[in-house]
Amino acid sequence: MEKGIENLMSARKCLRANFEKSKALGLSIEKAGPRFDEIIQRLPALEAAIRPIRAQKDALGAVGGHINRAVVPATAVLKVFDAIHGLEKSLSDPQSDLPGYLGVLKRLEEALRFLGDNCEMAIQWLADIVEYLEDHAVADDRFTSSMKEALTSLRELHSGEEKGRLDGGLLEVALDRLESEFRRLLVENTIPLPMSDPALPGEQACIAPSPLPVMVIQKLQAIIGRLIANNRLDKCISIYVEVRSSNVRTSLQALNLDYLEISVSEFNDVQSIEGHIAQWGKHLEFAVKHLFEAEYKLCNDVFERIGLDVWMSCFAKIAAQAGILAFLQFGKTVTESKKDPIKLLKLLDIFASLNKLRLDFNRLFGGTACLEIQNLTRDLIKSVIEGASEIFWELQVQVELQRQMPPPPDGSVPKLIIFITDYCNKLLGDDYKSILTQVLIIERSWKQEKFQERLLITELLNIMRAVDVNLETWSKAYQDVILSYVFLMNNHWHLYKHLKGTKLGGLMGDSRLKEHEQYKEYYSAFFLKESWGKLPALLSREGLILFSGGHATARDLVKKRLKAFNEAFDEMYKKQSNWVMLDKDLRDKTCQSIIQAIVPVYRSYMQNYGPLVEQEGNGKYVKYTAQSLEKVLNSLLHPKPLKHGSFKVRHPSGKFSNVITDQNQTSPTVK
């Protein structure tokens, strides 16, 4: 009985233990369900992963060799790549430590060069592995496809234009910062040159010193070296030209060069811009010797290690952008203006300015890089020489063409005479003779002709002979012969007085000048004789000496003669009141001659016979006293206020160009 109970107890205990185990197993199975689901989901990937095991044994054995050969260069590339990015922390601010920055940049370049040289080999080995895996089905297709895409991108990056991006763009960023430092050094050390006025007396154009400190130039050269090593020379030059040309333009702004932009349509003739032409020569010399000379030297200092062609090209761009072309174009604009004698002088001024700077132009702008400047300069010089020569050789023709113009109605000196005597003396003066001679020599040489200085002298003498013929022609155009005498007196005296002691007068000779003086005396005598000299005869004493006819008869004779005198005097004064003698000495002498011829006779007559008619009153017969008569005569021949006009010079083509003032207008007083 007891034994049976024990057996039951053991069975119950066993059943309870099995129940607990079953319960625990159920819980475990319940928990394992999600894990089985996860395993089921991963089975395809696991299947693909173990698929190479199905490959042939020889193919699997060869994979190891391929991997080992690719891993070595790939590892080296990765190490260098890590080193490159390690250098990024060492790249300091180039402004604070340029030598250190350049040193790190050089190491970066070397590392990148190593990376570029070895990356190709690593890519090739990796490509071989991918090809092997693909050919022998050792790897999953998706894996090999992904590897092929990565290699394709890497190969394009290495061999294409973005090869430098192998470092992630670090070198490009570093070079950009270096370019910025190059610009900063230029901008902060580039100061517009203080402009003094070159027109002030005593101002001498001098060659300016290098406008950048030596230390700055050395830094610029160091930067240029690194930029050249990375094919950035063009960008470097572009920055340099931009900054330096802007500086030159800023310096030139102080000279007020707005006139350089003037066009031919904006002015009537050269006289209207005469002041600008005078400024142009001074400003051009100032710009060349102060600004372009300095830029030429600085370009050489900064870029000398690169080569002549580079820095000359750089200077040529600066000169062109800074304004040298505008200077030359203004000169060309002047050559395209209307022809007139004043233009000849201005063209000679332009030639003198260019000739003075000839050596500077040849040195600064003589290189092939300055071809545009050279061509424009040659074109300008050619236009100046041809234009000046054409005007000079036509001067005599211009003078001759003036004969058809009427003479001045007041008998004064025509503007042409005043102008041409002064003009020819200017051409013979120290300022123009040598320049004109040089221009004519060049012009004749272009025509394969020889020029002798005597040709210049002969041409000027021919012009003066043409002037003499003009005077004779004009004098015959007056209907009043007395006025023609005044005209000839005026002009012969003007020529004598204004040519005596001058270079033109020296060429003409003393005898010819003396002729002008003699002609003046000759026509003065005729003028007095044929006009005022006839009045004293009206105050005849005939029949009055003995009062043979009594007081009444004498009084009638005196009245009659005084009345005739007054009428003749008033008529002559009225006619001559509009006549002019420009020269004060000639006018005073002429008036005194008239007074000496009339006033003494009138005074004596009135003293003797005036009492006979004084009681008549109202000035009917005694119209003047001797003093008032003298005062009236002294008012003769004075010039009137100047009237402005335009003297036309006829061109052989028949067209006219305004150059002086109309010769029939009253001329200014000449003393």
Side-chain angles (χ1 to χ4, degrees):
M1 187 70 173
E2 292 179 358
K3 189 175 181 181
I5 292 172
E6 290 179 356
N7 289 336
L8 286 172
M9 292 296 290
S10 295
R12 189 182 68 174
K13 187 176 181 179
C14 182
L15 287 172
R16 183 176 294 172
N18 288 334
F19 177 76
E20 293 294 333
K21 287 181 180 179
S22 297
K23 185 178 179 179
L25 181 61
L27 291 173
S28 297
I29 292 173
E30 185 178 352
K31 292 180 180 179
R35 294 180 61 189
F36 282 132
D37 292 338
E38 183 180 351
I39 290 172
I40 292 172
Q41 292 176 0
R42 293 176 59 188
L43 278 177
L46 291 173
E47 182 183 5
I50 64 173
R51 188 176 298 157
I53 299 176
R54 303 175 185 174
Q56 297 181 2
K57 183 178 180 181
D58 293 342
L60 288 173
V63 169
H66 284 284
I67 293 175
N68 290 336
R69 284 193 297 272
V71 165
V72 174
T75 302
V77 168
L78 290 175
K79 287 181 178 180
V80 173
F81 187 77
D82 290 339
I84 287 174
H85 282 276
L87 291 174
E88 183 175 5
K89 300 178 181 179
S90 303
L91 282 172
S92 60
D93 182 6
Q95 181 176 350
S96 59
D97 182 17
L98 182 61
Y101 188 91
L102 293 174
V104 174
L105 185 61
K106 187 175 182 180
R107 289 165 55 194
L108 178 61
E109 293 170 13
E110 292 171 350
L112 184 60
R113 189 161 45 250
F114 178 86
L115 183 65
D117 293 342
N118 290 273
C119 187
E120 176 65 28
M121 183 171 61
I123 292 173
Q124 185 60 48
W125 282 112
L126 290 173
D128 290 344
I129 292 176
V130 172
E131 183 180 356
Y132 185 87
L133 294 176
E134 186 178 26
D135 292 344
H136 294 83
V138 176
D140 180 56
D141 292 340
R142 287 178 296 177
F143 172 78
T144 54
S145 176
S146 176
M147 284 290 292
K148 287 171 67 176
E149 291 178 1
L151 286 173
T152 300
S153 299
L154 188 60
R155 187 176 286 110
E156 290 175 354
L157 188 65
H158 176 263
S159 60
E161 294 182 356
E162 298 194 11
K163 181 178 181 180
R165 305 286 294 181
L166 287 171
D167 63 341
L170 179 59
L171 180 61
E172 293 298 313
V173 173
L175 292 172
D176 289 343
R177 291 172 65 186
L178 196 60
E179 286 180 354
S180 298
E181 176 62 10
F182 185 81
R183 179 185 292 275
R184 186 195 67 80
L185 285 171
L186 281 173
V187 171
E188 292 187 1
N189 293 278
T190 294
I191 302 173
L193 187 66
M195 293 283 108
S196 57
D197 188 351
L200 289 177
E203 287 284 348
Q204 295 295 326
C206 61
I207 296 177
S210 176
L212 292 183
V214 175
M215 185 63 70
V216 174
I217 292 177
Q218 291 174 348
K219 289 182 178 180
L220 292 174
Q221 290 175 334
I223 293 175
I224 290 171
R226 293 267 50 84
L227 293 177
I228 290 176
N230 290 276
N231 298 319
R232 290 204 177 197
L233 177 60
D234 290 343
K235 183 65 179 298
C236 177
I237 290 177
S238 176
I239 294 172
Y240 185 89
V241 170
E242 175 191 342
V243 175
R244 294 304 304 179
S245 62
S246 175
N247 180 67
V248 175
R249 288 195 301 271
T250 302
S251 298
L252 288 173
Q253 284 176 359
L255 298 179
N256 190 21
L257 301 178
D258 292 342
Y259 67 87
L260 293 180
E261 304 300 323
I262 195 171
S263 63
V264 177
S265 61
E266 293 180 70
F267 62 94
N268 295 324
D269 50 51
V270 171
Q271 284 179 288
S272 62
I273 59 167
E274 192 171 352
H276 293 324
I277 298 173
Q279 284 182 312
W280 177 86
K282 296 183 178 69
H283 289 164
L284 177 61
E285 180 179 0
F286 197 67
V288 168
K289 291 189 175 292
H290 279 265
L291 298 176
F292 294 122
E293 177 71 38
E295 293 304 322
Y296 180 87
K297 183 179 184 301
L298 185 61
C299 281
N300 181 30
D301 291 343
V302 174
F303 296 99
E304 62 178 339
R305 298 176 184 175
I306 307 175
L308 179 65
D309 292 343
V310 172
W311 72 260
M312 279 297 293
S313 174
C314 185
F315 169 72
K317 293 176 181 177
I318 291 173
Q321 294 182 21
I324 186 63
L325 299 179
F327 275 103
L328 298 174
Q329 185 56 52
F330 175 81
K332 192 67 168 59
T333 299
V334 174
T335 66
E336 294 169 354
S337 62
K338 297 177 182 178
K339 289 193 301 181
D340 63 55
I342 296 298
K343 180 180 175 180
L344 170 57
L345 300 180
K346 298 302 105 184
L347 292 178
L348 294 179
D349 288 338
I350 292 175
F351 181 84
S353 296
L354 293 173
N355 193 50
K356 186 177 181 180
L357 296 172
R358 180 169 54 87
L359 296 179
D360 298 283
F361 263 73
N362 289 340
R363 179 169 51 85
L364 298 179
F365 310 116
T368 55
C370 298
L371 189 60
E372 182 181 8
I373 298 174
Q374 295 169 21
N375 290 337
L376 191 53
T377 303
R378 279 194 293 266
D379 190 34
L380 172 57
I381 293 174
K382 182 174 183 292
S383 298
V384 167
I385 291 175
E386 290 178 344
S389 300
E390 183 179 4
I391 293 173
F392 176 75
W393 295 119
E394 287 184 2
L395 283 176
Q396 181 180 344
V397 176
Q398 300 294 349
V399 172
E400 292 171 350
L401 288 172
Q402 290 301 305
R403 291 173 196 164
Q404 60 188 294
M405 304 295 291
D410 56 8
S412 63
V413 180
K415 284 291 187 176
L416 174 68
I417 305 301
I418 297 173
F419 174 80
I420 208 67
T421 51
D422 179 64
Y423 186 78
C424 290
N425 267 317
K426 281 186 177 180
L427 293 180
L428 289 171
D430 295 336
D431 291 338
Y432 289 113
K433 183 180 178 183
S434 61
I435 302 170
L436 177 58
T437 300
Q438 188 175 355
V439 165
L440 296 178
I441 289 174
I442 296 173
E443 186 257 348
R444 284 300 176 97
S445 69
W446 289 347
K447 296 180 178 179
Q448 306 298 319
E449 300 176 5
K450 294 187 68 175
F451 177 82
Q452 298 177 348
E453 186 177 355
R454 188 65 196 173
L455 289 175
L456 171 60
I457 296 172
T458 300
E459 188 67 19
L460 293 176
L461 291 177
N462 287 339
I463 291 172
M464 295 311 298
R465 291 189 185 95
V467 166
D468 289 341
V469 176
N470 281 22
L471 291 180
E472 183 179 353
T473 303
W474 285 329
S475 68
K476 294 177 180 178
Y478 288 105
Q479 294 182 350
D480 190 331
V481 68
I482 308 299
L483 180 56
S484 72
Y485 296 154
V486 173
F487 173 78
L488 291 169
M489 288 166 60
N490 270 320
N491 285 275
H492 283 294
W493 179 246
H494 175 85
L495 291 172
Y496 172 76
K497 185 174 182 179
H498 290 273
L499 292 177
K500 185 179 181 181
T502 66
K503 293 189 175 183
L504 180 58
L507 290 178
M508 294 173 64
D510 291 339
S511 60
R512 190 170 172 189
L513 292 182
K514 195 69 176 176
E515 287 180 1
H516 286 299
E517 184 182 29
Q518 291 171 349
Y519 276 127
K520 186 269 296 183
E521 296 293 342
Y522 175 79
Y523 290 113
S524 293
F526 265 95
F527 166 73
L528 186 61
K529 178 183 177 182
E530 298 297 328
S531 59
W532 297 101
K534 294 182 177 181
L535 266 62
L538 298 176
L539 298 176
S540 172
R541 296 175 183 239
E542 183 179 352
L544 298 176
I545 297 177
L546 298 177
F547 299 101
S548 56
H551 284 280
T553 303
R555 185 180 296 111
D556 290 340
L557 286 174
V558 169
K559 288 180 180 179
K560 181 179 179 181
R561 290 169 184 175
L562 282 174
K563 182 179 180 183
F565 174 85
N566 290 337
E567 290 175 351
F569 182 91
D570 290 344
E571 181 182 354
M572 193 165 297
Y573 179 82
K574 181 180 178 182
K575 180 170 65 174
Q576 297 189 13
S577 62
N578 290 321
W579 297 356
V580 171
M581 284 190 177
L582 296 177
D583 186 82
K584 185 177 184 301
D585 293 337
L586 178 62
R587 183 172 63 250
D588 291 347
K589 185 177 180 181
T590 302
C591 287
Q592 284 303 312
S593 298
I594 298 172
I595 290 170
Q596 289 299 321
I598 296 176
V599 173
V601 175
Y602 185 80
R603 180 183 293 114
S604 175
Y605 193 84
M606 293 304 297
Q607 287 174 351
N608 291 322
Y609 308 111
L612 293 175
V613 293
E614 285 177 351
Q615 64 272 21
E616 294 292 329
N618 298 324
K620 184 176 180 180
Y621 300 107
V622 184
K623 191 173 182 179
Y624 302 99
T625 63
Q627 290 77 11
S628 64
L629 196 65
E630 183 174 348
K631 183 177 180 181
V632 170
L633 291 173
N634 270 322
S635 68
L636 283 171
L637 306 174
H638 282 265
K640 306 302 184 290
L642 180 64
K643 297 178 182 178
H644 295 285
S646 59
F647 162 51
K648 312 280 189 177
V649 170
R650 182 184 292 274
H651 292 281
S653 63
K655 297 182 179 179
F656 288 89
S657 174
N658 300 341
V659 288
I660 332 175
T661 53
D662 213 348
Q663 69 174 30
N664 60 8
Q665 295 290 340
T666 304
S667 305
T669 305
V670 179
K671 296 183 179 180

